[in-house]
Amino acid sequence: MGVMKMCGIAGVVDWAEAPRLAMNSLIAMQNTLTRRGPDQRGIYADDCAALVHARLCVVDIERGRQPMSLALGDERLHLIYNGELYNTSELRDELAVARHRFNGHSDTEVVLHAYAEWGAECVSRFNGIFAFAVWEQRERRLFLARDRIGVKPLFYSQRPKGLLFGSEIKALLAHPSMDARLDSQGVAELMLIGPGRTPGCGVLMGIEELPPAHCGYYDQNGLNTWAYWRLTDRTHEDSFEDTVEQVRYLVQDSIERQLVSDVKLGTLLSGGLDSSIISAVADQHFQRRGEQLHTFSVFYEDNERYFKSGKFQPSSDDDFIRQMNESLGAQHHRIVLKTDELLDALYDAVEARDLPGMADVDASLLLFCREIKQHVTVALSGECADEIFGGYPWYRDPEIRARYGFPWSQSTDYRATFLAGDYASEIDAKEYVDQRYRAALLAADVREGADDEERRMKQMVSLNLNWFMQTLLDRKDRMSMYSGLEVRVPFCDYRIAEYLYSVPWAYKDHQGTEKGLLRMAVKDLLPESVLWRKKSPYPKTHNPAYLEAVSVRLRDVMRDGDSPLLQIVSKQALDELLVDDRSVPWYGQLMTTPQTIAYMLQLDHWLRTYKVILA
């Protein structure tokens, strides 16, 4: 039984003032999570700690309530949890043998009993996406954990007399002890790394994010966290044929585990390889049950008029989506976004992410999810396949691959020209980015004796999983949760990442084709044209009306003498941005001039709406 917990969590540990006496603060934090969990609310509070939960009810409404408590001798454990486990039934069976008794069928209960049985070790047994907290009432200590790949978010702030934590930054800012302060490091993140973030960094002063695959305890001695999992390079013994078979098993098993749901479920279908694989497996699953799958694709007003084929976007999606749908028994929904809607959604996207993001790439996903939510409550999406199987141009183009620096962000000098006044002299842009790049390379595990190409490919996978993909997962979680839509990402199954990490590059790049290994593993599932289609990124608008509209809005912002944007960003650089189409990518291949202008609009809106204080 798959139980969905689309929800938000937050909490306070306070050694000086009993949280149970500060109910208004707790309710304020809870209110920020309403979009993540609109249906059911719960608060647990005692003299040292409070746990706050907001839930969207889908299954086991009564017995899945949170915070959930369990008595264990004279200890009482209290849990709040956001996520889902895909191996719930196996864990429940194992716990039943150890004499655990269950009241309902929610995976929340399995997480709580697993913690009671195995303590911090429980996270190594979970296959799922999660962020959760357990308060041990007698011991007066808090356990925090996050899933291996980092699909579900968890931010925290250490205060002089305690700790705040929550699914989103806005939950922390709702607490009276917090304000939104930005120092030069935060400015460097926004202007040099953004819309990415240095792992663990929450951009605002005093806010951090628990990194993926980390857990830890907070008590009166402070916070102690550690990594419970990492990708390690091993000698790959399997033949190519056996590797193909294992990939097929892992991919299909992951998708099927994530199709379990008691509510309507659909798939995002772009006509690309990854979403088509998920849709094909889902379609077979639905047909076996005599049901019909819903598939969803996104388009932009007038895009076919303005689309130009390029290196990164060789073909439009329309034909491939049509061919894919003809091979499925699914009901397809084609969602078309208008240019003016995209503009207004730029600001909603900031409030969903709590930070400036991928401009119209975020805004369009937010609008797309809002429409999908009219039809289904759960959707499956293809994120993570490119990172794990090496689908991006920067894996495959030897020239791009050999270049020093983050492959998706080769524009540090260009970005630095936007820094205003003191920030320009205070921040050493090259050193700030280089330091992070060097640390990221060192984090990649490479076995003894690997040749140069294998070493570089391991670095690329590590860079992509720990940096680029985190931006995409942030985007997917916040934009979907903004409309109470749960998006699952089957390629983010840690078993796939773990197995593929050691697979030689020559296998992954079979026949010199991007994701050649994955294509071989699913060749009987897809129409030939879709199976061998060249990679195309998430669609963006090519309509010149969009560039015109964001330019008009940025000029309005610049005319406002009180614009907080101009305290951070050089007016001269903005003037040049509006006049010259230099098309230097700001981030990845999707953010060129129109999106850079839109990013500046998002930054301005964020500074105003979040009342950011420049420290």
Side-chain angles (χ1 to χ4, degrees):
M1 178 65 65
V3 181
M4 301 183 31
K5 263 147 309 304
M6 282 181 276
C7 57
I9 64 173
V12 180
V13 178
D14 193 329
W15 307 120
E17 216 171 299
R20 66 184 167 77
L21 302 176
M23 204 44 81
N24 287 348
S25 309
L26 302 179
I27 290 168
M29 292 175 83
Q30 191 175 48
N31 287 341
T32 66
L33 300 170
T34 301
R35 282 181 170 274
R36 290 184 83 89
D39 296 338
Q40 208 179 63
R41 296 169 159 229
I43 292 178
Y44 161 84
D46 64 22
D47 286 347
C48 296
L51 303 178
V52 173
H53 195 261
R55 175 180 177 219
L56 178 71
C57 300
V58 180
V59 177
D60 209 358
I61 290 167
E62 277 315 308
R63 291 176 301 227
R65 281 181 182 276
Q66 297 188 46
M68 189 178 276
S69 302
L70 178 66
L72 199 70
D74 56 355
E75 178 61 281
R76 278 187 78 79
L77 303 176
H78 307 278
L79 165 79
I80 44 174
Y81 162 72
N82 165 213
E84 47 210 9
L85 295 186
Y86 302 123
N87 61 339
T88 302
S89 54
E90 293 100 314
L91 289 168
R92 189 198 307 276
D93 292 347
E94 205 177 329
L95 289 162
V97 171
R99 298 214 156 82
H100 287 263
R101 294 287 163 267
F102 297 94
N103 296 319
H105 56 256
S106 75
D107 56 347
T108 308
E109 210 181 352
V110 171
V111 171
L112 183 54
H113 282 263
Y115 183 79
E117 182 66 29
W118 298 304
E121 294 297 308
C122 69
V123 287
S124 305
R125 295 168 182 258
F126 294 161
N127 178 355
I129 55 178
F130 55 81
F132 70 90
V134 180
W135 173 245
E136 299 179 4
Q137 194 175 334
R138 190 197 61 198
E139 284 293 320
R140 293 167 58 158
R141 68 173 185 168
L142 181 77
F143 178 72
L144 293 171
R146 198 164 166 227
D147 69 73
R148 290 172 178 85
I149 306 283
V151 179
K152 289 291 162 194
L154 188 58
F155 294 91
Y156 66 89
S157 181
Q158 296 190 68
R159 318 305 296 149
K161 294 275 185 334
L163 180 88
L164 300 174
F165 67 90
S167 295
E168 296 184 4
I169 291 171
K170 59 175 72 69
L172 275 60
L173 294 176
H175 193 273
S177 71
M178 279 298 291
D179 49 23
R181 285 181 181 272
L182 189 68
D183 59 11
S184 59
Q185 186 185 337
V187 170
E189 284 289 315
L190 291 163
M191 298 306 293
L192 304 174
I193 306 288
R197 284 184 290 120
T198 299
C201 170
V203 180
L204 290 166
M205 283 176 75
I207 295 182
E208 291 174 75
E209 185 172 29
L210 186 68
H214 277 65
C215 63
Y217 283 104
Y218 177 75
D219 60 17
Q220 274 172 302
N221 299 318
L223 181 66
N224 173 35
T225 63
W226 64 91
Y228 63 84
W229 177 82
R230 68 178 296 212
L231 285 175
T232 49
D233 191 14
R234 302 179 174 86
T235 307
H236 187 74
E237 305 285 3
D238 295 357
S239 68
F240 181 71
E241 289 68 28
D242 291 345
T243 304
V244 167
E245 208 171 302
Q246 182 65 4
V247 167
R248 170 60 173 254
Y249 163 73
L250 287 170
V251 168
Q252 189 145 354
D253 184 65
S254 175
I255 297 167
E256 283 173 355
R257 282 175 186 269
Q258 300 192 27
L259 287 169
V260 179
S261 167
D262 288 2
V263 293
K264 275 193 149 176
L265 178 146
T267 62
L268 276 57
L269 178 61
S270 68
L273 180 68
D274 314 327
S275 67
S276 297
I277 294 169
I278 292 170
S279 298
V281 174
D283 186 59
Q284 289 177 356
H285 175 89
F286 273 72
Q287 291 204 33
R288 282 197 296 273
R289 289 172 27 182
E291 293 169 20
Q292 189 178 36
L293 175 70
H294 289 257
T295 58
F296 300 87
S297 57
V298 65
F299 295 89
Y300 301 89
E301 190 176 43
D302 292 336
N303 240 18
E304 57 284 357
R305 276 175 58 192
Y306 300 108
F307 179 79
K308 287 189 188 71
S309 176
K311 180 175 179 177
F312 293 129
Q313 207 143 8
S315 54
S316 176
D317 292 335
D318 275 21
D319 275 356
F320 295 98
I321 291 169
R322 187 180 44 73
Q323 291 168 40
M324 195 60 211
N325 274 307
E326 283 168 5
S327 77
L328 302 174
Q331 184 181 342
H332 186 62
H333 304 264
R334 187 179 194 272
I335 292 163
V336 181
L337 306 179
K338 294 186 167 64
T339 301
D340 55 344
E341 287 181 318
L342 267 180
L343 269 174
D344 293 335
L346 275 175
Y347 307 113
D348 288 342
V350 171
E351 290 167 38
R353 205 193 252 256
D354 292 328
L355 287 165
M358 296 179 79
D360 58 332
V361 185
D362 276 9
S364 61
L365 183 63
L366 182 128
L367 293 170
F368 186 28
C369 288
R370 184 188 300 169
E371 290 301 315
I372 295 171
K373 177 66 197 224
Q374 311 298 318
H375 305 278
V376 299
T377 312
V378 189
L380 270 61
S381 173
E383 262 80 8
C384 205
D386 284 309
E387 285 79 2
I388 289 174
F389 288 94
Y392 291 122
W394 48 72
Y395 277 98
R396 308 198 59 261
D397 181 323
E399 189 191 330
I400 304 177
R401 190 164 73 202
R403 242 179 246 154
Y404 180 84
F406 294 111
W408 52 87
S409 185
Q410 294 272 325
S411 52
T412 303
D413 294 346
Y414 171 62
R415 284 169 173 251
T417 62
F418 285 89
L419 289 167
D422 290 346
Y423 293 116
S425 49
E426 224 172 277
I427 296 168
D428 183 340
K430 194 168 166 12
E431 182 51 28
Y432 191 84
V433 176
D434 272 9
Q435 210 179 340
R436 279 149 185 73
Y437 180 66
R438 290 193 299 268
L441 290 185
L442 289 173
D445 185 67
V446 185
R447 64 187 165 76
E448 284 289 310
D451 63 27
D452 288 350
E453 183 181 60
E454 282 303 327
R455 171 172 296 278
R456 182 58 178 159
M457 297 328 287
K458 295 291 181 296
Q459 290 175 343
M460 293 298 263
V461 172
S462 184
L463 283 171
N464 277 274
L465 280 178
N466 296 328
W467 285 78
F468 190 69
M469 202 179 75
Q470 297 306 316
T471 313
L472 299 184
L473 290 175
D474 257 7
R475 161 181 176 257
K476 188 59 58 99
D477 176 80
R478 284 350 158 263
M479 300 309 128
S480 58
M481 287 305 220
Y482 194 74
S483 298
L485 175 74
E486 173 84 358
V487 175
R488 299 177 182 175
V489 278
F491 284 106
C492 284
D493 188 309
Y494 78 93
R495 297 170 304 158
I496 300 176
E498 215 167 56
Y499 182 72
L500 264 298
Y501 190 68
S502 298
V503 169
W505 174 246
Y507 283 12
K508 293 183 195 173
D509 198 42
H510 179 63
Q511 292 179 342
T513 307
E514 69 208 12
K515 295 190 284 197
L517 171 62
L518 180 59
R519 293 176 202 266
M520 292 303 286
V522 297
K523 63 177 191 290
D524 59 323
L525 279 177
L526 306 176
E528 281 287 294
S529 57
V530 176
L531 179 66
W532 297 106
R533 178 190 180 186
K534 200 164 164 33
K535 175 173 170 55
S536 204
Y538 179 85
K540 67 173 184 176
T541 180
H542 295 274
N543 192 330
Y546 183 76
L547 173 59
E548 212 171 297
V550 287
S551 301
V552 166
R553 290 204 185 183
L554 186 57
R555 284 195 179 93
D556 289 347
V557 164
M558 289 164 68
R559 270 195 291 274
D560 172 2
D562 296 330
S563 165
L565 181 69
L566 299 176
Q567 294 177 268
I568 291 176
V569 183
S570 146
K571 187 170 182 303
Q572 186 190 339
L574 291 176
D575 282 331
E576 285 171 20
L577 176 67
L578 288 165
V579 181
D580 305 340
D581 185 0
R582 285 179 286 183
S583 71
V584 181
W586 183 265
Y587 189 84
Q589 57 258 33
L590 291 176
M591 288 181 74
T592 52
T593 300
Q595 289 74 29
T596 307
I597 294 170
Y599 183 77
M600 298 302 166
L601 288 175
Q602 287 194 314
L603 180 54
D604 179 71
H605 179 77
W606 178 72
L607 291 164
R608 292 171 196 260
T609 310
Y610 285 73
K611 302 185 172 60
V612 175
I613 302 154
L614 298 180

